[in-house]
Amino acid sequence: MPELASVQRKIEPTTSTAPLAVSVRGLWREFGEVPALRDVALTLHGGETLSVLGPNGAGKTTLLRVLASLLRPTAGEVSVLGCPLPRESWRARGRIGYLGHEPLLYRDLSGAENLRFAAQLHGLQGDATGRIAELLDLVRMSRRADELVRNLSAGMVQRLAVCRALLHQPELLLLDEPRSHLDPEAAALVEPLIGPSPERARVLVTHEIDAGLADADRVLALRAGGAVAYEGLASGLSAGDARAIYGGAP
Amino acid sequence: MKVPSLRALSIATILCLGAGFTLVFFYAPLDADQGFVQKIFYLHVPLAICSLAGFMIAGVHAIRHLRSGDPVHDARSYVSIHLSVIFGVGVLLTGSIWAHASWGRWWVWDEPTLVSFLIVFLLYATYYPLRYAIEDRDRQARYASVFAITAGAFVPLNFLAVRMAQSLVHPRVFATTSGGLPGSMLFTFLVCLAGMALLWTCLVCFELAAKSASAKLSRLRRALEGETYAAPNRSRIAPSVPSRAASPLT
Amino acid sequence: MSGGRDRGPDRGRRRGHSLHAFRAILAKDLRVELRTLQSVPAMALFGVTTFVLFRYGLDRTKLSGGLAAGVLLATVLFAAILAINRLFVAERDEGGFDAIRLAPVDGTALGGAKAAALIVYLVVLEAITLPVFALFFLDSWAGLAPVAGVLALADVGLAATGVLVSAIAANSRARDLLVPLVLLPLLIPVMIAAANAAEPLLAAQGPAYGGIGKWVGVLALYDMTFIAVGFAVYDFLLED
């Protein structure tokens, strides 16, 4: 029965009645004269997961930063949570959880202080303390929450970064190789936090092709240079085809 | 900045400047105190006025650039500052020669206009290293505009402070407001000022036209030779005009 | 890069929220400074060393009037550059710029908080260096209180322009070079006005107050101009 449900979800995601979480058409982003993304289009509904695959230099991180409103598109239409970027980016900000390569934590503050600071930036007032304690507990960082971030290991910092990204209960999660720095045990610990959930859409950048395909409702595969190799249902792309994109073959 | 044609503008500039200098040498009377060297006034003061006006115009373009995001305004702001800095070198040289002729020293600190101009010149000279230090084109343009606006607000404040700091007012050979000039001198001065303003405008238009042409050329080359073409000797700090049109959507 | 700033109906709400963000960023900066002591002690040390340098450079053991004002102001301005250089280092190196942009926070809140933090550093710096200066060079301490007032006005102007330049420099390759290069010419009017205001206050025969009004006026005008410029342009410095 559960198996059937998951199949169902993969066959008909385009008819999802959930509102569009991300809609991108004709997106170009150039650095200087060099395009990092070329004519990228994608759609993602609430509750779905999009896996972004592609070799190094395919513009995966650039795409994620554009969706997070951290980078302006050079051309094209980008709409995130119903807000066209960059015009209304501030309306989308605060509803997006972004977990990138950098933890975005101050090294001279403790984990708890960093999370309190993030809560203040996001305007969470009353329940912030409870929410912070709850998250720290879930990633098993409660005991070390008062240590300076500079004294923590990369894995612990990454767990704090997960807390920071989830603190304000975002409607869209942007995850850039979220399992990097994490040992299998810690990865299992954060998986329920950042895993699929009907309450939020996810964009997942990953190098692990099989895991990326298994997790996803939709897949966006980018070639080196930022052109789209495949965009559509996860069931429409086999792991072999996905590997071929990494090899550079069309 | 819609000018009928470069040719008409060039002819008008040559005629006006030619007429101005003819008047300087054959019409304007010799100054009673200073004699012939006073004639540098007709070069020095119009240069200074055009240079300062150019800095202000750059500030206005910068405001329009930030409001619209159109890189054309950044290019105009850049070219305005560029030419005003070149004119500024002329101002300092002619001012220095004049100071030597009338007071026997190459530099005088108690001539507030000259000192103010030096400070303004020093500030605008940092425009180039500032642009050079920022790699991303969009950000470079935006920060350069912020600089142009800040520096534009600085110019009048600086003149005010330097003027007030003059403990003793140096005996001025000419009044800064042209009111004290005899009619023939005033007329000559105004023709020279108009000629210099035309020269500034003309040079700005030439540089913008050159930039626009080279941007078109490099775009065409790229279209012909594909991705491999890299523009030769491309300045890292000068904005290309109109870089918007270089985006692949057109 | 299309469009300038949005002017949606929620702008008012955002302003209210910006105040929270302003307080949060300022508190964070002061907490980090208290913990790491990376700016203020260096500035104070630099200030005192510069006084010693001037003592031999000028070969004077007593200063008064214009010379005293010049030495004091030049020292404070140069010491300020140390802090201005470091103002955005944590934001750039530790992802603060991104974290703040991911939150619904106005760029002005960040700029304002940084300016406020810089003013606090400068006030602490002056609380340390002004007595040392008097101890080293002055016969009378009578002019110190009004001089402190002049310095406070100068601090506001320093913070307003310093934050602009520091934010530009933080996102460039030549951070340490750019700050003094761009900032020093911008600060010349502050130097002129503050030194002229402080000159009669440090006169050898005791402080005089005649004629300092117009200089205080110039300082106030400078402060207001660059606070206004900062409000107008700060959002553009925070974008990508």
Side-chain angles (χ1 to χ4, degrees):
Chain A
M1 199 56 192
E3 214 179 317
L4 188 66
S6 91
V7 168
Q8 196 83 24
R9 215 175 45 153
K10 281 183 186 174
I11 290 173
E12 305 197 312
T14 41
T15 60
S16 164
T17 50
L20 269 179
V22 179
S23 152
V24 171
R25 270 195 302 174
L27 166 66
W28 289 75
R29 168 70 207 196
E30 296 171 5
F31 291 102
E33 303 266 301
V34 186
L37 291 171
R38 299 160 196 249
D39 201 13
V40 173
L42 66 96
T43 53
L44 181 66
H45 289 269
E48 293 181 348
T49 295
L50 170 78
S51 278
V52 182
L53 304 174
N56 291 329
K60 303 186 298 294
T61 297
T62 304
L63 174 66
L64 222 54
R65 288 181 67 82
V66 169
L67 295 181
S69 80
L70 293 173
L71 273 182
R72 286 160 176 263
T74 306
E77 288 170 35
V78 180
S79 174
V80 172
L81 300 172
C83 314
L85 302 185
R87 204 155 35 80
E88 290 181 28
S89 53
W90 78 269
R91 280 211 303 136
R93 284 172 189 172
R95 296 160 65 198
I96 300 170
Y98 176 78
L99 185 59
H101 290 297
E102 307 290 326
L104 308 188
L105 299 166
Y106 295 102
R107 293 159 55 75
D108 291 309
L109 293 180
S110 72
E113 285 168 337
N114 264 301
L115 293 179
R116 274 200 295 275
F117 176 66
Q120 286 168 321
L121 284 186
H122 283 276
L124 312 178
Q125 296 301 317
D127 56 339
T129 323
R131 171 92 181 136
I132 291 169
E134 176 199 349
L135 280 171
L136 284 172
D137 201 40
L138 284 172
V139 299
R140 305 235 179 100
M141 282 295 292
S142 299
R143 253 180 343 107
R144 311 203 57 178
D146 292 322
E147 284 184 41
L148 295 191
V149 169
R150 66 163 65 252
N151 298 331
L152 298 175
S153 71
M156 292 177 184
V157 173
Q158 182 72 0
R159 281 188 266 166
L160 287 175
V162 168
C163 295
R164 180 196 50 72
L166 295 172
L167 193 59
H168 51 290
Q169 290 170 316
E171 299 157 54
L172 171 66
L173 259 186
L174 305 173
L175 306 166
D176 202 343
E177 297 176 52
R179 281 181 277 266
S180 61
H181 304 305
L182 294 179
D183 54 34
E185 195 187 343
L189 211 56
V190 301
E191 185 53 33
L193 289 171
I194 60 172
S197 149
E199 271 134 51
R200 63 184 176 226
R202 301 192 312 149
V203 178
L204 175 68
V205 166
T206 181
H207 278 306
E208 305 159 39
I209 295 174
D210 296 311
L213 286 176
D215 267 359
D217 301 291
R218 299 183 70 86
V219 171
L220 172 70
L222 296 169
R223 284 199 184 91
V228 176
Y230 176 83
E231 200 273 325
L233 299 182
S235 48
L237 185 74
S238 71
D241 291 340
R243 281 196 182 84
I245 293 163
Y246 281 79
Chain B
M1 293 281 256
K2 276 277 169 286
V3 181
S5 82
L6 279 176
R7 178 176 307 193
L9 192 60
S10 318
I11 293 171
T13 306
I14 291 168
L15 287 181
C16 196
L17 266 186
F21 287 126
T22 313
L23 288 174
V24 166
F25 290 110
F26 299 107
Y27 170 70
L30 274 185
D31 186 83
D33 300 327
Q34 298 188 39
F36 184 73
V37 75
Q38 181 266 348
K39 291 199 186 290
I40 203 172
F41 157 81
Y42 299 107
L43 186 59
H44 173 73
V45 178
L47 268 175
I49 291 175
C50 290
S51 174
L52 289 175
F55 289 138
M56 290 297 159
I57 291 169
V60 173
H61 285 310
I63 291 172
R64 293 172 64 186
H65 172 239
L66 289 187
R67 291 185 78 95
S68 70
D70 187 344
V72 149
H73 295 300
D74 173 52
R76 289 175 183 164
S77 179
Y78 169 84
V79 172
S80 299
I81 289 180
H82 186 56
L83 277 163
S84 284
V85 166
I86 294 172
F87 272 43
V89 175
V91 173
L92 292 172
L93 283 178
T94 52
S96 195
I97 291 170
W98 195 7
H100 186 72
S102 35
W103 299 309
R105 279 156 44 207
W106 292 106
W107 185 257
V108 285
W109 282 109
D110 42 12
E111 171 49 52
T113 321
L114 197 58
V115 176
S116 300
F117 196 89
L118 173 68
I119 297 168
V120 167
F121 178 80
L122 288 175
L123 177 62
Y124 276 95
T126 66
Y127 183 70
Y128 301 95
L130 186 146
R131 283 197 86 111
Y132 191 74
I134 301 164
E135 303 206 21
D136 180 76
R137 284 297 179 121
D138 276 357
R139 173 176 286 172
Q140 187 191 75
R142 218 164 40 241
Y143 283 18
S145 288
V146 167
F147 173 88
I149 293 168
T150 309
F154 168 85
V155 170
L157 259 174
N158 176 58
F159 269 79
L160 175 77
V162 173
R163 171 63 51 90
M164 281 173 63
Q166 241 39 63
S167 45
L168 74 165
V169 175
H170 200 271
R172 313 191 110 230
V173 190
F174 62 95
T176 17
T177 54
S178 310
L181 287 177
S184 56
M185 280 186 164
L186 179 62
F187 176 69
T188 309
F189 169 73
L190 288 178
V191 174
C192 285
L193 179 59
M196 206 55 86
L198 276 172
L199 178 66
W200 188 89
T201 316
C202 185
L203 291 175
V204 165
C205 291
F206 264 109
E207 194 172 340
L208 282 171
K211 282 191 187 313
S212 169
S214 83
K216 261 185 214 142
L217 188 67
S218 114
R219 203 158 63 248
L220 289 174
R221 285 245 175 98
R222 253 146 81 92
L224 270 179
E225 301 176 22
E227 298 297 320
T228 49
Y229 174 71
N233 302 327
R234 201 182 180 87
S235 164
R236 279 201 44 245
I237 61 171
S240 53
V241 190
S243 68
R244 193 82 180 126
S247 97
L249 276 201
T250 48
Chain C
M1 49 178 291
S2 69
R5 308 197 294 180
D6 52 86
R7 308 194 181 280
D10 303 82
R11 200 166 164 80
R13 205 195 71 205
R14 202 160 57 132
R15 280 265 175 265
H17 178 64
S18 287
L19 205 62
H20 286 295
F22 168 84
R23 278 209 298 265
I25 297 167
L26 177 59
K28 185 268 296 176
D29 273 5
L30 295 181
R31 185 191 294 260
V32 169
E33 175 62 26
L34 266 180
R35 188 168 288 164
T36 60
L37 294 174
Q38 53 187 349
S39 288
V40 174
M43 289 160 81
L45 196 60
F46 174 89
V48 173
T49 314
T50 308
F51 290 150
V52 177
L53 223 57
F54 271 119
R55 182 256 171 265
Y56 288 103
L58 300 170
D59 199 16
R60 298 271 288 265
T61 53
K62 287 286 172 243
L63 294 176
S64 64
L67 204 52
V71 167
L72 181 62
L73 260 301
T75 305
V76 168
L77 291 194
F78 284 123
I81 286 179
L82 298 186
I84 291 169
N85 256 332
R86 300 202 54 84
L87 215 45
F88 285 95
V89 168
E91 311 306 334
R92 194 192 60 169
D93 293 352
E94 298 169 26
F97 278 125
D98 279 356
I100 289 165
R101 265 189 293 153
L102 284 166
V105 172
D106 215 299
T108 317
L110 174 62
K114 290 290 174 183
L118 183 56
I119 290 175
V120 171
Y121 299 166
L122 288 171
V123 167
V124 174
L125 166 78
E126 285 149 13
I128 298 168
T129 50
L130 209 51
V132 173
F133 178 73
L135 204 67
F136 281 5
F137 296 119
L138 298 184
D139 284 324
S140 143
W141 291 52
L144 283 194
V147 165
V150 170
L151 285 177
L153 267 180
D155 291 347
V156 175
L158 251 172
T161 42
V163 166
L164 278 177
V165 175
S166 183
I168 290 176
N171 288 301
S172 75
R173 297 178 305 159
R175 171 161 50 89
D176 302 344
L177 183 77
L178 220 48
V179 167
L181 207 58
V182 179
L183 192 58
L184 284 182
L186 275 175
L187 290 179
I188 289 173
V190 175
M191 181 73 181
I192 293 174
N196 274 292
E199 180 181 340
L201 297 174
L202 295 170
Q205 60 274 23
Y209 294 89
I212 73 165
K214 64 174 183 177
W215 294 115
V216 170
V218 173
L219 276 177
L221 185 65
Y222 184 98
D223 295 354
M224 285 188 296
T225 305
F226 285 104
I227 288 172
V229 170
F231 266 102
V233 301
Y234 208 85
D235 255 1
F236 298 103
L237 292 178
L238 192 59
E239 288 298 327
D240 61 87

